[in-house]
Amino acid sequence: MAKKSGKTTIHDIAYELGLNASTVSRALADNPVVSQKTRDLVQAKARELNYQPNRIAAALRRGRSDILGVIVPAIDRAFFGRVIRGIEEKADKAGFHIIVCQSYDSAKRERAMVSTLQRLQVDGIMISTAKDKEPITDFYKQLMATGLPIQFFDTMPAGLDAPAVVIDDELGGFEATEHLIKAGYERIAHLRGPQHIHIYHDRYRGYVRAMTEAGRTVDPRYVIDIDSHFDSGEEAFVQLWNLPQPPDAIFSSSDYSAAAGIKASEKYGIRVPEELAIIGFANESFTEIITPKLSTVDQQTRTMGRLAAERMIAVVTDKNALQSLERRLVLAPKVIVRKSSQR
Amino acid sequence: MAKKSGKTTIHDIAYELGLNASTVSRALADNPVVSQKTRDLVQAKARELNYQPNRIAAALRRGRSDILGVIVPAIDRAFFGRVIRGIEEKADKAGFHIIVCQSYDSAKRERAMVSTLQRLQVDGIMISTAKDKEPITDFYKQLMATGLPIQFFDTMPAGLDAPAVVIDDELGGFEATEHLIKAGYERIAHLRGPQHIHIYHDRYRGYVRAMTEAGRTVDPRYVIDIDSHFDSGEEAFVQLWNLPQPPDAIFSSSDYSAAAGIKASEKYGIRVPEELAIIGFANESFTEIITPKLSTVDQQTRTMGRLAAERMIAVVTDKNALQSLERRLVLAPKVIVRKSSQR
DNA sequence: TTGTAGGCGTTATCAT
DNA sequence: ATGATAACGCCTACAA
């Protein structure tokens, strides 16, 4: 029997077997220096006593916790939920655990969370930085100088040279627009998200480039600014439809406003995709259930999570892996063509 | 200056100030037994040296990690993302952290995750148990016997008397149906989810009770079984519409099939809600963007997370709080009436 | 092949 | 009010 009432430790096992704790420690680690017989004995006894190694103690001793910190703006956003799933998948396989924190898009909270994670002795931190006006670049510069492995994903502070896995929004905008062009649509409009937000700016740039490269001019009347996701969708649609020559296709910077567009066109009796093609962005789960099914751009969320975790773990596991990885990995989004943009 | 190059510890601070580590420890904890002057001195020096307390070491010594384990089937499901957000909110406020694990709805993995969390010395585990046929009740009985605080939420093993925060799906089904009845609909159909899954069975029972209590009979032809979320929605609709007397309202056990129903009715030229009312279940985010906006039943996800965390923390913080809490807290879902069921 | 001893950083107990 | 010491559980030189 283990002595006290508490959990069994290597000392308990050692005592039971008339061995020393260090031998038990080695045996449990399957260290070949210990005789096979002893190893079997120890491991059997460990099972018998339902021994659960204390990872906290091991962490303290080894100076490694096998825990990774993850900071996202909000865990209940579908995008981050999926990325975290990817992260957890990889981490789990590699024997790491993740502690998830939310910044609620506040730079201040983000810094606080970094601090907390450091105190928890995490081996590295993966961050999708808050969309906050407050500058945080210097904070991370200092942090990285301490040697703590950092890996950004999705969003990263401006002007920081740090490992990151991001998505090429410009390419996404380009390909979405290109798809519409190739599908034979003539007058392609764009529902443009807030331009101070990086991703929307890039999607817009991709739109412009695709138009330009196809030898088309970007009619400013075809570029409608939308702020909130849903509500401005219908207004935008009306605005477009009142033009002397309405567009025959729309590339929306978000699935939500794209859906609002579909909704509005139904209301006004415009058939999608026959009279008007629509493509969104993000591959939200509802894109498959609305009528018609919404074409969109997939952001490779799970892949992003997996890659970020892989790179993080590579660095944590082997410090000089850092050099061998490109600092910045840019993922290509994937256009998903569904009914709403196929005629 | 701190000695070595490593992180600063209380010993460094003590050395700098000509004090003893134990005094520093007390001072940092604002222990009033230490003179105000010394406390100030220590805290100033701690800031100066950018001291970050090592929570791992403290955890080892105190036998408490201030970490809670959370196990959910999959973090990228909107439902769990929201619950976790609620959990994290409360945990954060109380100075706890959460480690999130996914069971992928496998009982085996779930057990493994529990084990891992135990090794990490979490102070308690919050679980939404896997929808797996494999029985896991005995496992938890044993686990709870060890004294590890456990708190279930959303789903819990059958026949286990354990603290849990769950939602009353039967009531949700009842109220959704009642709403349709009160709104004056005559022939109310139900899209019924797989009955071996507890929640769908309860929603169906609520439907039956509402019908019965209103003095109506449940016409078996009005109860359509759907398996996968989307695809069977249209079939179900067609089946209903080919009835000699089609229903004038549908209560669907999921928002997805409800949306599919709306989609199908448009296709067949049936106006919602004038000719057919539809209400779903879960308050998915897309319910607000489809046309017409979908009535649904909100599951109080964030509240569920908050309450589960609150209860967990109460138990962890004060062992005899256990008694004072009802073992099982049942949350009432909330019907959200939107366009799709209002005439 | 196994044992001894020391320490990871903190906190609790006892002494001064 | 502060200091000395031990211990949390594990790991790892080093010794035997």
Side-chain angles (χ1 to χ4, degrees):
Chain A
M1 299 290 295
K3 25 179 206 179
K4 307 265 193 55
S5 54
K7 316 187 184 172
T8 60
T9 72
I10 51 173
H11 293 100
D12 300 329
I13 301 178
Y15 176 81
E16 292 276 307
L17 261 32
L19 286 170
N20 185 282
S22 52
T23 306
V24 172
S25 174
R26 285 186 282 249
L28 288 170
D30 247 329
N31 188 330
V33 86
V34 177
S35 75
Q36 186 65 52
K37 207 185 67 187
T38 312
R39 267 186 279 165
D40 293 343
L41 231 51
V42 169
Q43 288 169 12
K45 185 57 90 180
R47 261 191 303 280
E48 181 193 327
L49 299 180
N50 187 29
Y51 167 71
Q52 304 270 37
N54 184 328
R55 309 276 254 91
I56 290 278
L60 180 59
R61 171 63 234 240
R62 295 192 309 140
R64 253 191 65 178
S65 62
D66 291 344
I67 298 178
L68 302 176
V70 178
I71 305 176
V72 294
I75 202 177
D76 61 346
R77 295 224 269 270
F79 179 88
F80 292 116
R82 293 186 214 148
V83 176
I84 292 174
R85 165 137 187 186
I87 292 175
E88 215 261 357
E89 269 175 32
K90 280 293 175 195
D92 184 61
K93 260 186 210 143
F96 282 80
H97 291 272
I98 62 172
I99 292 191
V100 182
C101 305
Q102 312 183 77
S103 67
Y104 304 133
D105 268 324
S106 143
K108 191 168 156 231
R109 249 192 81 87
E110 187 173 308
R111 286 197 309 268
M113 307 282 38
V114 166
S115 222
T116 312
L117 290 171
Q118 281 188 285
R119 303 188 214 284
L120 286 169
Q121 310 297 118
V122 297
D123 296 339
I125 307 186
M126 314 178 57
I127 306 156
S128 172
T129 201
K131 291 191 195 67
D132 193 343
K133 63 280 146 209
E134 201 186 318
I136 200 168
T137 307
D138 287 345
F139 171 80
Y140 281 118
K141 275 194 184 140
Q142 283 177 249
L143 183 65
M144 291 174 64
T146 70
L148 179 72
I150 298 286
Q151 177 79 230
F152 289 96
F153 61 92
D154 185 45
T155 53
M156 62 184 301
L160 187 70
D161 181 34
V165 179
V166 297
I167 193 161
D168 190 340
D169 279 282
E170 198 271 347
L171 183 62
F174 177 84
E175 293 190 336
T177 311
E178 190 188 37
H179 153 66
L180 294 173
I181 293 172
K182 287 195 173 154
Y185 293 97
E186 297 290 338
R187 298 174 305 286
I188 301 170
H190 177 48
L191 304 191
R192 183 170 74 165
Q195 289 298 289
H196 65 276
I197 299 180
H198 189 254
I199 56 174
Y200 295 118
H201 183 57
D202 285 352
R203 290 172 198 175
Y204 168 62
R205 281 179 37 231
Y207 162 76
V208 172
R209 181 163 67 89
M211 295 293 276
T212 311
E213 288 190 9
R216 307 195 179 186
T217 54
V218 174
D219 186 334
R221 288 170 308 176
Y222 281 176
V223 176
I224 310 286
D225 283 299
I226 55 174
D227 37 329
S228 95
H229 277 332
F230 315 147
D231 313 330
S232 29
E234 180 164 346
E235 293 168 40
F237 175 83
V238 172
Q239 203 175 326
L240 286 170
W241 222 251
N242 283 336
L243 253 32
Q245 181 147 51
D248 61 355
I250 296 177
F251 159 46
S252 165
S253 53
S254 108
D255 280 339
Y256 286 93
S257 36
I262 289 186
K263 185 168 154 175
S265 39
E266 273 163 12
K267 186 166 163 188
Y268 291 86
I270 315 297
R271 288 175 310 144
V272 176
E274 291 79 2
E275 297 171 79
L276 178 68
I278 300 187
I279 182 167
F281 208 111
N283 199 14
E284 294 284 348
S285 60
F286 67 79
T287 53
E288 287 210 275
I289 61 154
I290 60 179
T291 317
K293 291 189 180 174
L294 181 63
S295 294
T296 186
V297 180
D298 184 81
Q299 299 180 277
Q300 313 280 59
T301 43
R302 222 132 115 186
T303 304
M304 180 184 289
R306 278 195 284 253
L307 288 172
E310 239 169 38
R311 289 159 54 103
M312 175 94 277
I313 290 166
V315 174
V316 169
T317 309
D318 170 19
K319 285 287 176 191
N320 40 8
L322 192 56
Q323 289 85 326
S324 63
L325 296 169
E326 316 102 288
R327 308 284 284 167
R328 207 150 189 268
L329 183 58
V330 180
L331 258 44
K334 243 173 72 185
V335 171
I336 297 182
V337 178
R338 299 209 185 91
K339 192 74 193 301
S340 73
S341 67
Q342 268 178 321
R343 54 173 156 199
Chain B
M1 301 288 295
K3 24 181 203 180
K4 308 262 193 59
S5 55
K7 315 188 186 174
T8 61
T9 72
I10 50 173
H11 291 100
D12 300 330
I13 300 178
Y15 177 80
E16 292 275 308
L17 261 32
L19 287 170
N20 186 282
S22 48
T23 306
V24 172
S25 174
R26 286 185 283 247
L28 288 170
D30 247 328
N31 188 328
V33 86
V34 177
S35 75
Q36 186 62 54
K37 206 185 69 188
T38 311
R39 267 186 280 165
D40 293 343
L41 231 50
V42 168
Q43 289 169 11
K45 186 57 91 180
R47 262 191 303 280
E48 181 193 328
L49 299 181
N50 187 30
Y51 167 72
Q52 304 270 38
N54 185 329
R55 310 276 255 91
I56 291 278
L60 179 58
R61 174 64 234 240
R62 295 193 308 141
R64 251 190 67 179
S65 62
D66 292 344
I67 299 178
L68 301 176
V70 178
I71 305 177
V72 294
I75 201 178
D76 61 346
R77 295 224 269 269
F79 179 88
F80 293 117
R82 293 186 215 150
V83 176
I84 292 175
R85 165 138 186 184
I87 293 175
E88 216 262 356
E89 269 175 31
K90 280 292 176 198
D92 184 60
K93 260 185 210 144
F96 282 80
H97 289 272
I98 61 172
I99 293 192
V100 182
C101 305
Q102 311 184 78
S103 67
Y104 304 134
D105 267 324
S106 144
K108 191 168 154 229
R109 251 191 80 88
E110 187 172 309
R111 287 197 309 269
M113 306 284 36
V114 167
S115 223
T116 312
L117 290 171
Q118 281 187 284
R119 303 190 216 282
L120 286 169
Q121 310 296 118
V122 297
D123 296 339
I125 307 187
M126 315 179 56
I127 306 156
S128 172
T129 201
K131 292 191 194 65
D132 194 342
K133 63 280 147 209
E134 200 186 319
I136 199 168
T137 307
D138 287 345
F139 171 80
Y140 281 119
K141 275 193 184 138
Q142 284 177 250
L143 183 66
M144 290 173 65
T146 70
L148 178 72
I150 298 286
Q151 177 79 231
F152 289 96
F153 61 92
D154 184 44
T155 53
M156 61 183 302
L160 187 70
D161 181 35
V165 179
V166 297
I167 192 158
D168 191 341
D169 279 282
E170 199 271 347
L171 183 62
F174 177 84
E175 294 192 336
T177 311
E178 191 188 38
H179 153 66
L180 294 173
I181 294 172
K182 287 196 174 153
Y185 293 98
E186 298 289 337
R187 299 175 306 285
I188 301 170
H190 177 48
L191 304 191
R192 183 169 75 165
Q195 289 297 290
H196 65 275
I197 298 180
H198 188 256
I199 55 174
Y200 295 118
H201 183 56
D202 285 352
R203 290 172 198 174
Y204 168 62
R205 282 179 38 233
Y207 162 77
V208 172
R209 181 163 68 87
M211 295 293 277
T212 311
E213 288 190 8
R216 308 194 179 186
T217 53
V218 173
D219 185 334
R221 288 170 307 176
Y222 281 176
V223 176
I224 309 288
D225 283 300
I226 54 174
D227 37 328
S228 96
H229 277 330
F230 316 146
D231 313 330
S232 29
E234 179 163 348
E235 294 168 39
F237 175 84
V238 172
Q239 201 175 325
L240 286 170
W241 222 251
N242 283 335
L243 252 33
Q245 181 146 53
D248 62 355
I250 296 177
F251 160 46
S252 165
S253 53
S254 108
D255 281 338
Y256 286 93
S257 37
I262 289 187
K263 186 167 152 174
S265 40
E266 272 163 14
K267 186 166 164 186
Y268 290 86
I270 315 298
R271 286 175 310 145
V272 176
E274 292 78 3
E275 297 170 78
L276 178 67
I278 300 187
I279 182 168
F281 208 110
N283 199 13
E284 294 283 350
S285 60
F286 67 79
T287 53
E288 287 210 276
I289 60 152
I290 60 179
T291 318
K293 290 187 182 177
L294 181 63
S295 294
T296 186
V297 180
D298 185 82
Q299 299 179 277
Q300 312 280 59
T301 42
R302 221 131 116 187
T303 304
M304 179 183 288
R306 278 195 285 251
L307 288 171
E310 240 169 38
R311 289 158 55 102
M312 175 95 277
I313 290 166
V315 174
V316 169
T317 309
D318 169 20
K319 284 287 176 192
N320 41 9
L322 192 55
Q323 289 85 326
S324 63
L325 295 170
E326 317 102 290
R327 308 284 284 165
R328 209 151 187 267
L329 182 59
V330 180
L331 258 42
K334 242 175 70 185
V335 171
I336 297 182
V337 179
R338 299 208 186 93
K339 192 76 192 304
S340 73
S341 67
Q342 267 177 320
R343 54 173 158 199

